[in-house]
Amino acid sequence: MGSQSQAMPAARRRSAMLFRRARSGLVLIAVFWTWMLFDAADFIAALFGSPIHAALAVFALGTLTLISLLFLPICLAYLVLNRPSLQAGSPAAPARRTQGNGLAPVIRMMPRRAAARGETVRAAAKRRDLAS
């Protein structure tokens, strides 16, 4: 039972990470297609002084076009399947000010050294406040 409770936050973090990656992928695809729409013809026309450079550019743009068409549905699927939910602990969930012991979130985060010495949360917070 303890391993399941520890695995859930990691699964949520991974889901949020996959969502952000898919969103970034869609932004990159949109930027690429916008560039293809407005500036790619000028780029290719500027390379016609050398036929090898022009052929390489046309080949590269064709390859990137096919790759972007492949990754577009993949990114959309990741966005739909990994969208953040309003569960506790997810990035979209509203932050709670206090938890069971009534302490603010910053006070609850005590250093590992203090936990290893067996200090209470309030004593560790007081010691940290006095040190700063």
Side-chain angles (χ1 to χ4, degrees), residues 27-90:
V27 168
L28 287 175
I29 290 170
V31 166
F32 172 73
W33 277 99
T34 304
W35 178 78
M36 284 284 286
L37 182 65
F38 294 115
D39 293 334
D42 294 334
F43 175 70
I44 298 293
L47 293 174
F48 271 112
S50 170
I52 293 176
H53 291 134
L56 285 174
V58 168
F59 178 73
L61 288 176
T63 303
L64 286 174
T65 301
L66 292 176
I67 289 173
S68 71
L69 290 175
L70 172 71
F71 279 110
L72 181 66
I74 294 172
C75 288
L76 288 174
Y78 272 97
L79 271 179
V80 170
L81 295 175
N82 293 304
R83 66 179 177 266
S85 62
L86 292 178
Q87 298 172 355
S90 71

Side-chain angles (χ1 to χ4, degrees), residues 90-110:
S90 71
R96 295 189 308 178
R97 297 288 297 167
T98 60
Q99 222 171 12
N101 56 6
L103 298 174
V106 175
I107 295 175
R108 280 186 283 121
M109 295 185 295
M110 58 188 280

